[in-house]
PDB file of all heavy atoms in Angstrom:
ATOM      1  N   ALA E 185     -16.854  34.215   4.074  1.00  0.00           N
ATOM      2  CA  ALA E 185     -16.130  33.208   4.931  1.00  0.00           C
ATOM      3  C   ALA E 185     -15.314  32.267   4.028  1.00  0.00           C
ATOM      4  O   ALA E 185     -14.131  32.084   4.373  1.00  0.00           O
ATOM      5  CB  ALA E 185     -17.123  32.385   5.773  1.00  0.00           C
ATOM      6  N   LEU E 186     -15.820  31.854   2.921  1.00  0.00           N
ATOM      7  CA  LEU E 186     -15.068  30.915   2.084  1.00  0.00           C
ATOM      8  C   LEU E 186     -13.861  31.582   1.434  1.00  0.00           C
ATOM      9  O   LEU E 186     -12.886  30.900   1.069  1.00  0.00           O
ATOM     10  CB  LEU E 186     -15.960  30.345   0.988  1.00  0.00           C
ATOM     11  CG  LEU E 186     -17.070  29.447   1.379  1.00  0.00           C
ATOM     12  CD1 LEU E 186     -17.903  29.028   0.189  1.00  0.00           C
ATOM     13  CD2 LEU E 186     -16.560  28.246   2.135  1.00  0.00           C
ATOM     14  N   ALA E 187     -13.908  32.864   1.275  1.00  0.00           N
ATOM     15  CA  ALA E 187     -12.879  33.623   0.526  1.00  0.00           C
ATOM     16  C   ALA E 187     -11.482  33.435   1.151  1.00  0.00           C
ATOM     17  O   ALA E 187     -10.487  33.570   0.436  1.00  0.00           O
ATOM     18  CB  ALA E 187     -13.274  35.073   0.376  1.00  0.00           C
ATOM     19  N   VAL E 188     -11.395  33.197   2.419  1.00  0.00           N
ATOM     20  CA  VAL E 188     -10.056  33.009   2.946  1.00  0.00           C
ATOM     21  C   VAL E 188      -9.696  31.600   3.179  1.00  0.00           C
ATOM     22  O   VAL E 188      -8.813  31.210   3.929  1.00  0.00           O
ATOM     23  CB  VAL E 188      -9.897  33.743   4.363  1.00  0.00           C
ATOM     24  CG1 VAL E 188     -10.034  35.324   4.160  1.00  0.00           C
ATOM     25  CG2 VAL E 188     -11.004  33.311   5.274  1.00  0.00           C
ATOM     26  N   GLU E 189     -10.357  30.739   2.436  1.00  0.00           N
ATOM     27  CA  GLU E 189     -10.025  29.273   2.348  1.00  0.00           C
ATOM     28  C   GLU E 189      -9.913  28.662   3.760  1.00  0.00           C
ATOM     29  O   GLU E 189      -8.979  28.062   4.235  1.00  0.00           O
ATOM     30  CB  GLU E 189      -8.614  29.036   1.681  1.00  0.00           C
ATOM     31  CG  GLU E 189      -8.524  29.556   0.318  1.00  0.00           C
ATOM     32  CD  GLU E 189      -9.039  28.649  -0.704  1.00  0.00           C
ATOM     33  OE1 GLU E 189      -9.076  27.449  -0.434  1.00  0.00           O
ATOM     34  OE2 GLU E 189      -9.435  29.073  -1.835  1.00  0.00           O
ATOM     35  N   PRO E 190     -11.132  28.719   4.463  1.00  0.00           N
ATOM     36  CA  PRO E 190     -11.095  28.179   5.865  1.00  0.00           C
ATOM     37  C   PRO E 190     -11.187  26.599   5.833  1.00  0.00           C
ATOM     38  O   PRO E 190     -11.558  26.074   4.754  1.00  0.00           O
ATOM     39  CB  PRO E 190     -12.319  28.704   6.529  1.00  0.00           C
ATOM     40  CG  PRO E 190     -13.263  28.885   5.290  1.00  0.00           C
ATOM     41  CD  PRO E 190     -12.430  29.243   4.139  1.00  0.00           C
ATOM     42  N   GLN E 191     -10.845  25.937   6.918  1.00  0.00           N
ATOM     43  CA  GLN E 191     -11.060  24.488   6.974  1.00  0.00           C
ATOM     44  C   GLN E 191     -12.342  24.150   7.868  1.00  0.00           C
ATOM     45  O   GLN E 191     -12.827  23.148   7.701  1.00  0.00           O
ATOM     46  CB  GLN E 191      -9.840  23.809   7.598  1.00  0.00           C
ATOM     47  CG  GLN E 191      -8.595  24.066   6.808  1.00  0.00           C
ATOM     48  CD  GLN E 191      -7.379  23.337   7.502  1.00  0.00           C
ATOM     49  OE1 GLN E 191      -7.543  22.284   7.875  1.00  0.00           O
ATOM     50  NE2 GLN E 191      -6.369  24.025   7.530  1.00  0.00           N
ATOM     51  N   CYS E 192     -12.610  25.157   8.743  1.00  0.00           N
ATOM     52  CA  CYS E 192     -13.710  24.952   9.611  1.00  0.00           C
ATOM     53  C   CYS E 192     -14.671  26.139   9.601  1.00  0.00           C
ATOM     54  O   CYS E 192     -14.265  27.258   9.716  1.00  0.00           O
ATOM     55  CB  CYS E 192     -13.302  24.707  11.073  1.00  0.00           C
ATOM     56  SG  CYS E 192     -14.517  24.500  12.217  1.00  0.00           S
ATOM     57  N   ILE E 193     -15.914  25.898   9.479  1.00  0.00           N
ATOM     58  CA  ILE E 193     -16.962  26.961   9.411  1.00  0.00           C
ATOM     59  C   ILE E 193     -17.877  26.836  10.709  1.00  0.00           C
ATOM     60  O   ILE E 193     -18.354  25.765  10.982  1.00  0.00           O
ATOM     61  CB  ILE E 193     -17.842  26.946   8.200  1.00  0.00           C
ATOM     62  CG1 ILE E 193     -16.898  27.152   6.972  1.00  0.00           C
ATOM     63  CG2 ILE E 193     -18.962  27.979   8.233  1.00  0.00           C
ATOM     64  CD1 ILE E 193     -17.225  28.355   6.147  1.00  0.00           C
ATOM     65  N   ILE E 194     -17.945  27.993  11.391  1.00  0.00           N
ATOM     66  CA  ILE E 194     -18.864  27.968  12.536  1.00  0.00           C
ATOM     67  C   ILE E 194     -20.188  28.689  12.118  1.00  0.00           C
ATOM     68  O   ILE E 194     -20.055  29.888  11.724  1.00  0.00           O
ATOM     69  CB  ILE E 194     -18.269  28.678  13.737  1.00  0.00           C
ATOM     70  CG1 ILE E 194     -17.064  27.773  14.141  1.00  0.00           C
ATOM     71  CG2 ILE E 194     -19.256  28.806  14.824  1.00  0.00           C
ATOM     72  CD1 ILE E 194     -16.233  28.481  15.278  1.00  0.00           C
ATOM     73  N   ALA E 195     -21.238  28.003  11.987  1.00  0.00           N
ATOM     74  CA  ALA E 195     -22.496  28.566  11.552  1.00  0.00           C
ATOM     75  C   ALA E 195     -23.393  28.902  12.735  1.00  0.00           C
ATOM     76  O   ALA E 195     -23.871  27.927  13.359  1.00  0.00           O
ATOM     77  CB  ALA E 195     -23.104  27.752  10.496  1.00  0.00           C
ATOM     78  N   ASP E 196     -23.515  30.195  13.100  1.00  0.00           N
ATOM     79  CA  ASP E 196     -24.292  30.450  14.352  1.00  0.00           C
ATOM     80  C   ASP E 196     -25.771  30.814  13.944  1.00  0.00           C
ATOM     81  O   ASP E 196     -26.001  31.921  13.447  1.00  0.00           O
ATOM     82  CB  ASP E 196     -23.698  31.619  15.035  1.00  0.00           C
ATOM     83  CG  ASP E 196     -24.415  31.977  16.347  1.00  0.00           C
ATOM     84  OD1 ASP E 196     -25.297  31.189  16.766  1.00  0.00           O
ATOM     85  OD2 ASP E 196     -24.093  32.932  16.988  1.00  0.00           O
ATOM     86  N   GLU E 197     -26.693  29.970  14.041  1.00  0.00           N
ATOM     87  CA  GLU E 197     -28.043  30.150  13.688  1.00  0.00           C
ATOM     88  C   GLU E 197     -28.157  30.669  12.261  1.00  0.00           C
ATOM     89  O   GLU E 197     -28.947  31.591  11.971  1.00  0.00           O
ATOM     90  CB  GLU E 197     -28.757  31.169  14.668  1.00  0.00           C
ATOM     91  CG  GLU E 197     -28.668  30.694  16.037  1.00  0.00           C
ATOM     92  CD  GLU E 197     -29.771  29.846  16.512  1.00  0.00           C
ATOM     93  OE1 GLU E 197     -30.506  29.379  15.626  1.00  0.00           O
ATOM     94  OE2 GLU E 197     -29.913  29.610  17.701  1.00  0.00           O
ATOM     95  N   ALA E 198     -27.333  30.153  11.360  1.00  0.00           N
ATOM     96  CA  ALA E 198     -27.112  30.719  10.036  1.00  0.00           C
ATOM     97  C   ALA E 198     -28.376  30.620   9.212  1.00  0.00           C
ATOM     98  O   ALA E 198     -28.496  31.332   8.141  1.00  0.00           O
ATOM     99  CB  ALA E 198     -25.979  29.987   9.220  1.00  0.00           C
ATOM    100  N   VAL E 199     -29.353  29.780   9.582  1.00  0.00           N
ATOM    101  CA  VAL E 199     -30.573  29.748   8.826  1.00  0.00           C
ATOM    102  C   VAL E 199     -31.837  30.081   9.510  1.00  0.00           C
ATOM    103  O   VAL E 199     -32.904  30.129   9.004  1.00  0.00           O
ATOM    104  CB  VAL E 199     -30.834  28.317   8.089  1.00  0.00           C
ATOM    105  CG1 VAL E 199     -29.731  28.034   7.163  1.00  0.00           C
ATOM    106  CG2 VAL E 199     -30.838  27.249   9.168  1.00  0.00           C
ATOM    107  N   ALA E 200     -31.564  30.521  10.812  1.00  0.00           N
ATOM    108  CA  ALA E 200     -32.764  30.910  11.679  1.00  0.00           C
ATOM    109  C   ALA E 200     -33.584  32.027  11.105  1.00  0.00           C
ATOM    110  O   ALA E 200     -34.894  31.959  11.313  1.00  0.00           O
ATOM    111  CB  ALA E 200     -32.363  31.159  13.091  1.00  0.00           C
ATOM    112  N   ALA E 201     -32.952  32.957  10.438  1.00  0.00           N
ATOM    113  CA  ALA E 201     -33.806  34.114  10.098  1.00  0.00           C
ATOM    114  C   ALA E 201     -34.405  33.929   8.715  1.00  0.00           C
ATOM    115  O   ALA E 201     -35.037  34.886   8.217  1.00  0.00           O
ATOM    116  CB  ALA E 201     -32.882  35.337  10.016  1.00  0.00           C
ATOM    117  N   LEU E 202     -34.241  32.838   8.087  1.00  0.00           N
ATOM    118  CA  LEU E 202     -34.758  32.522   6.701  1.00  0.00           C
ATOM    119  C   LEU E 202     -36.061  31.877   6.727  1.00  0.00           C
ATOM    120  O   LEU E 202     -36.441  31.078   7.549  1.00  0.00           O
ATOM    121  CB  LEU E 202     -33.739  31.790   5.955  1.00  0.00           C
ATOM    122  CG  LEU E 202     -32.314  32.405   5.920  1.00  0.00           C
ATOM    123  CD1 LEU E 202     -31.338  31.510   5.150  1.00  0.00           C
ATOM    124  CD2 LEU E 202     -32.302  33.731   5.315  1.00  0.00           C
ATOM    125  N   ASP E 203     -36.805  32.051   5.622  1.00  0.00           N
ATOM    126  CA  ASP E 203     -38.052  31.370   5.430  1.00  0.00           C
ATOM    127  C   ASP E 203     -37.854  29.953   5.077  1.00  0.00           C
ATOM    128  O   ASP E 203     -36.757  29.549   4.593  1.00  0.00           O
ATOM    129  CB  ASP E 203     -38.857  32.016   4.301  1.00  0.00           C
ATOM    130  CG  ASP E 203     -39.623  33.225   4.782  1.00  0.00           C
ATOM    131  OD1 ASP E 203     -40.262  33.102   5.902  1.00  0.00           O
ATOM    132  OD2 ASP E 203     -39.676  34.250   4.086  1.00  0.00           O
ATOM    133  N   VAL E 204     -38.829  29.082   5.345  1.00  0.00           N
ATOM    134  CA  VAL E 204     -38.681  27.650   5.171  1.00  0.00           C
ATOM    135  C   VAL E 204     -38.110  27.312   3.865  1.00  0.00           C
ATOM    136  O   VAL E 204     -37.121  26.441   3.718  1.00  0.00           O
ATOM    137  CB  VAL E 204     -40.061  27.026   5.487  1.00  0.00           C
ATOM    138  CG1 VAL E 204     -39.865  25.552   5.248  1.00  0.00           C
ATOM    139  CG2 VAL E 204     -40.607  27.315   6.814  1.00  0.00           C
ATOM    140  N   SER E 205     -38.721  27.811   2.804  1.00  0.00           N
ATOM    141  CA  SER E 205     -38.287  27.376   1.519  1.00  0.00           C
ATOM    142  C   SER E 205     -36.850  27.778   1.170  1.00  0.00           C
ATOM    143  O   SER E 205     -36.086  27.141   0.507  1.00  0.00           O
ATOM    144  CB  SER E 205     -39.257  27.874   0.380  1.00  0.00           C
ATOM    145  OG  SER E 205     -39.170  29.262   0.252  1.00  0.00           O
ATOM    146  N   ILE E 206     -36.532  28.939   1.635  1.00  0.00           N
ATOM    147  CA  ILE E 206     -35.159  29.531   1.426  1.00  0.00           C
ATOM    148  C   ILE E 206     -34.131  28.758   2.319  1.00  0.00           C
ATOM    149  O   ILE E 206     -32.967  28.484   1.980  1.00  0.00           O
ATOM    150  CB  ILE E 206     -35.095  31.081   1.777  1.00  0.00           C
ATOM    151  CG1 ILE E 206     -36.184  31.769   1.011  1.00  0.00           C
ATOM    152  CG2 ILE E 206     -33.743  31.600   1.411  1.00  0.00           C
ATOM    153  CD1 ILE E 206     -36.068  31.737  -0.459  1.00  0.00           C
ATOM    154  N   ARG E 207     -34.670  28.477   3.554  1.00  0.00           N
ATOM    155  CA  ARG E 207     -33.773  27.688   4.477  1.00  0.00           C
ATOM    156  C   ARG E 207     -33.259  26.398   3.939  1.00  0.00           C
ATOM    157  O   ARG E 207     -32.077  26.134   3.988  1.00  0.00           O
ATOM    158  CB  ARG E 207     -34.689  27.470   5.743  1.00  0.00           C
ATOM    159  CG  ARG E 207     -33.906  26.771   6.821  1.00  0.00           C
ATOM    160  CD  ARG E 207     -34.942  26.510   7.965  1.00  0.00           C
ATOM    161  NE  ARG E 207     -35.264  27.799   8.604  1.00  0.00           N
ATOM    162  CZ  ARG E 207     -36.198  27.905   9.554  1.00  0.00           C
ATOM    163  NH1 ARG E 207     -36.669  26.713  10.103  1.00  0.00           N
ATOM    164  NH2 ARG E 207     -36.454  29.012  10.118  1.00  0.00           N
ATOM    165  N   ALA E 208     -34.193  25.787   3.253  1.00  0.00           N
ATOM    166  CA  ALA E 208     -33.752  24.448   2.657  1.00  0.00           C
ATOM    167  C   ALA E 208     -32.544  24.731   1.545  1.00  0.00           C
ATOM    168  O   ALA E 208     -31.708  23.895   1.472  1.00  0.00           O
ATOM    169  CB  ALA E 208     -34.947  23.824   2.016  1.00  0.00           C
TER     170      ALA E 208
END
Side-chain angles (χ1 to χ4, degrees):
Chain E
L186 293 179
V188 292
E189 303 275 337
Q191 298 181 45
C192 176
I193 298 241
I194 296 174
D196 184 8
E197 304 275 10
V199 296
L202 304 177
D203 275 319
V204 181
S205 69
I206 307 297
R207 181 180 296 179

